[in-house]
Amino acid sequence: MRKSKEQQKKQGGRQLTIFDVPVTKPTPDTAGRTGEEKEKGVELLSRLEKRRTLTTEILEEVVDYANLNRAYKQVSSNKGKGGIDEMDTQELRQWMGKHINELRMEILTETYEVSPVRKVEIRKPDGGIRMLGIPTVKDRLVQQAIHQQLSIHYDPIFSDSSYGFRPGRNAQQAVLQASEFIKEGKEWVVDIDMEKFFDKINHDRLMQRLSKGIGDKRLLRLINAYLKAGMMTGGLEEQRTAGTPQGGPLSPLLSNIVLDELDKELEKRGHSFCRYADDCNIFVKSQKAGERVMATIVNFIEKKLKLKVNRQKSGVRHCSEVKFLGYTCLPEGKIRVADKSIKRLKAKVREITRRNRGVRFEQVIMELNRVITGLTNYFSLANTWFNNFVSLDTWIRRKLRCYRLKQCGRRYTIVKFLTGLGVPIRKCWNVVMYTQGWWAMSKKVAVGHAMSLKWFAEIGLLSLKDRMMV
């Protein structure tokens, strides 16, 4: 309904928002600042208008054969389980060979039907539950094709302080940047944890934001269909009114678009920060400044972005008490592996070396080596607290000795095994006759001499300490 001239005049002094840049009616005291904000608002509007113009027919680019082929290769390399139709990536290749033209036409004519996602719940290391929504491989293909085209337009405007789910950027770069801020004297961290972020994203706000930069309404309707897709569990479909569950290729990009508002707000306020997905740390020089920043930013996130901050996990802490992407950054450029990451490693080792698994010892070594390789590759930035890895190596070897002794089973078999490794027979019988339990037996000097450092090296066990100190 069109407003009267009187209503328009009444609203003339109210604050207007243009892509989250406030523009208010100038006053003598704020004329200079307001003019600058207006200039930024005009610049943003111009940029948005240009992007809308460039994307009026972006759906044709999404279904381009080359783009779909790239999307298939990405989906195939990611592997993963199938959705509700149980089709896997191998079957997708055959399906595309027969139905690629039909798929393209359905998307362009808006007759393509989005399938519900399969609900999967997995336990988080801290004891919570993470909900995943696994789309069908066909929907993953389409989502990946959309992601590839939208990234061309959105990634260049994202903040330099955003590192998650972006080409050419990774977690290690975020940790290095955080370490630089701390070396500058900003040792207090506003550690913000968003409660079930991917499940709480407001659909209306997200679609409104997308509509400002995407000119192709067909694509907007397709993205909206993915947001509204039901979640299948136990044969029943439940409708979703919020969130973009992890599991689909489009969710990471949409999450960055949502949190780009937070990035722009932090930049506008001149804060030093690093964000990786929903993990955001702001670096300040004092605890008092951190508490002030925490209060205003939490208000912005909850009131403006309509997201929920987990107040139990969030807080203002000294950098030495903060875990950021598995690391803890200390003053003077020191970086160590966070305590929680060590606990997570130990939990994995316990799972692999469970004495009732009944798998070959060689298989256990191979699985441990994969874990050790992955951990040392990721934590290659660590440059202090290496004694942790010395004790971890010792503990892992003891777990393996325990596992190998348990495999022998009977006393005579253990004696035979130990004598085969050069232990005198009398010492072997002392081990099996005067020890209670496998864990206690694994600590015996004779067992340590039999399954020595050299023995473990010969069978191929990797060392955490050696790999971390390369």
Side-chain angles (χ1 to χ4, degrees):
M1 188 173 177
R2 187 171 294 177
K3 295 178 181 178
S4 66
K5 290 184 178 180
E6 288 186 11
Q7 288 175 316
Q8 291 176 13
K9 285 180 181 179
K10 286 180 181 179
Q11 290 186 343
R14 294 181 186 174
Q15 188 178 34
L16 302 176
T17 301
I18 301 176
F19 196 53
D20 308 319
V21 177
V23 180
T24 55
K25 188 175 180 179
T27 63
D29 295 333
T30 63
R33 178 175 56 83
T34 305
E36 183 181 343
E37 289 178 348
K38 275 187 175 181
E39 189 175 333
K40 288 182 180 178
V42 170
E43 181 183 344
L44 283 168
L45 280 174
S46 174
R47 199 184 307 167
L48 283 170
E49 192 60 41
K50 182 179 179 181
R51 198 186 327 145
R52 279 177 57 85
T53 304
L54 291 172
T55 57
T56 53
E57 295 183 351
I58 193 174
L59 199 58
E60 276 73 12
E61 297 171 27
V62 168
V63 299
D64 180 76
Y65 287 109
N67 190 54
L68 287 174
N69 187 50
R70 258 197 321 132
Y72 166 74
K73 288 180 180 178
Q74 185 62 49
V75 170
S76 181
S77 66
N78 291 341
K79 298 182 180 178
K81 296 183 178 179
I84 60 170
D85 63 357
E86 299 184 353
M87 181 189 291
D88 60 26
T89 52
Q90 292 296 324
E91 294 172 301
L92 177 62
R93 182 181 182 87
Q94 298 174 356
W95 183 89
M96 283 184 65
K98 298 177 181 177
H99 301 95
I100 184 69
N101 290 324
E102 180 183 340
L103 174 67
R104 296 178 71 248
M105 188 56 63
E106 286 179 355
I107 293 172
L108 290 173
T109 58
E110 298 186 74
T111 57
Y112 178 77
E113 292 187 10
V114 172
S115 300
V117 298
R118 182 167 61 86
K119 184 178 181 179
V120 176
E121 292 182 344
I122 59 174
R123 289 198 172 276
K124 295 196 288 188
D126 60 4
I129 298 292
R130 175 178 285 116
M131 184 182 68
L132 301 182
I134 311 298
T136 63
V137 287
K138 287 186 285 186
D139 281 330
R140 295 214 292 270
L141 171 75
V142 178
Q143 286 192 33
Q144 180 63 35
I146 295 171
H147 185 157
Q148 289 167 182
Q149 289 302 316
L150 288 188
S151 291
I152 296 171
H153 299 279
Y154 276 97
D155 193 74
I157 68 165
F158 287 152
S159 169
D160 285 340
S161 297
S162 166
Y163 292 89
F165 311 125
R166 298 181 61 189
R169 288 174 168 256
N170 56 45
Q172 283 88 346
Q173 291 172 339
V175 172
L176 286 173
Q177 181 61 73
S179 180
E180 287 298 317
F181 288 142
I182 292 169
K183 280 197 288 185
E184 292 171 5
K186 299 172 182 177
E187 297 182 9
W188 287 90
V189 183
V190 181
D191 188 8
I192 298 175
D193 184 272
M194 296 184 208
E195 188 175 298
K196 296 183 178 179
F197 166 70
F198 284 91
D199 304 334
K200 300 283 187 182
I201 291 176
N202 185 287
H203 288 174
D204 292 337
R205 288 202 83 256
L206 174 56
M207 289 308 303
Q208 183 183 27
R209 189 163 180 81
L210 287 171
S211 67
K212 292 176 179 178
I214 300 175
D216 196 327
K217 296 188 183 299
R218 298 168 300 171
L219 179 57
L220 290 172
R221 287 190 284 267
L222 180 57
I223 293 173
N224 192 50
Y226 278 121
L227 291 174
K228 296 288 193 289
M231 186 166 285
M232 193 74 75
T233 176
L236 298 175
E237 182 180 346
E238 54 183 88
Q239 294 302 313
R240 290 190 292 123
T241 57
T244 169
Q246 299 175 73
L250 199 51
S251 293
L253 177 62
L254 296 180
S255 70
N256 271 338
I257 292 172
V258 169
L259 291 176
D260 187 57
E261 288 190 73
L262 174 61
D263 297 342
K264 295 297 190 287
E265 181 68 17
L266 292 171
E267 287 177 344
K268 190 173 71 175
R269 298 184 186 191
H271 291 312
S272 299
F273 70 98
C274 292
R275 182 179 66 78
Y276 191 97
D278 57 330
D279 198 347
C280 182
N281 281 357
I282 307 166
F283 301 86
V284 295
K285 292 190 175 181
S286 69
Q287 184 176 4
K288 186 175 181 180
E291 289 169 353
R292 186 170 61 249
V293 171
M294 170 66 83
T296 56
I297 291 302
V298 166
N299 184 64
F300 176 84
I301 291 171
E302 295 190 334
K303 297 290 177 63
K304 187 69 181 289
L305 302 186
K306 308 298 182 186
L307 297 170
K308 183 74 173 173
V309 173
N310 188 329
R311 282 171 167 75
Q312 290 183 336
K313 294 184 178 180
S314 302
V316 180
R317 306 179 179 95
H318 189 261
C319 60
S320 59
E321 301 173 350
V322 175
K323 177 183 79 73
F324 182 52
L325 301 175
Y327 286 90
T328 293
C329 297
L330 305 172
E332 300 177 359
K334 294 180 180 179
I335 303 173
R336 72 177 182 89
V337 180
D339 294 336
K340 286 186 178 180
S341 300
I342 298 292
K343 288 180 181 178
R344 193 176 304 176
L345 168 66
K346 294 184 80 170
K348 287 182 180 178
V349 173
R350 287 192 187 98
E351 181 63 25
I352 292 171
T353 58
R354 276 188 300 111
R355 295 193 292 275
N356 60 354
R357 284 190 70 199
V359 300
R360 293 181 303 108
F361 191 64
E362 294 78 9
Q363 175 70 20
V364 173
I365 296 292
M366 187 172 67
E367 291 179 20
L368 276 175
N369 282 345
R370 279 201 294 262
V371 171
I372 290 169
T373 301
L375 180 135
T376 52
N377 285 344
Y378 180 78
F379 289 109
S380 59
L381 297 181
N383 55 22
T384 189
W385 286 43
F386 288 122
N387 283 340
N388 278 346
F389 299 103
V390 176
S391 59
L392 272 172
D393 275 335
T394 302
W395 177 75
I396 289 171
R397 286 193 295 269
R398 189 175 174 192
K399 294 287 286 183
L400 287 170
R401 290 185 186 112
C402 198
Y403 188 96
R404 186 65 185 87
L405 292 171
K406 175 70 164 51
Q407 277 192 325
C408 293
R410 295 178 299 170
R411 290 175 178 176
Y412 175 74
T413 314
I414 295 172
V415 169
K416 187 178 178 181
F417 171 68
L418 293 177
T419 54
L421 294 175
V423 179
I425 192 165
R426 185 173 59 84
K427 290 185 177 181
C428 294
W429 280 109
N430 284 339
V431 167
V432 298
M433 296 302 293
Y434 302 106
T435 307
Q436 292 183 337
W438 303 107
W439 186 244
M441 190 183 297
S442 68
K443 197 177 181 182
K444 291 289 184 179
V445 174
V447 173
H449 285 165
M451 291 181 273
S452 62
L453 284 171
K454 182 181 178 182
W455 183 79
F456 279 114
E458 287 173 351
I459 64 175
L461 178 67
L462 299 176
S463 165
L464 276 167
K465 179 183 72 75
D466 291 346
R467 286 182 60 86
M468 289 296 294
M469 296 184 70
V470 170

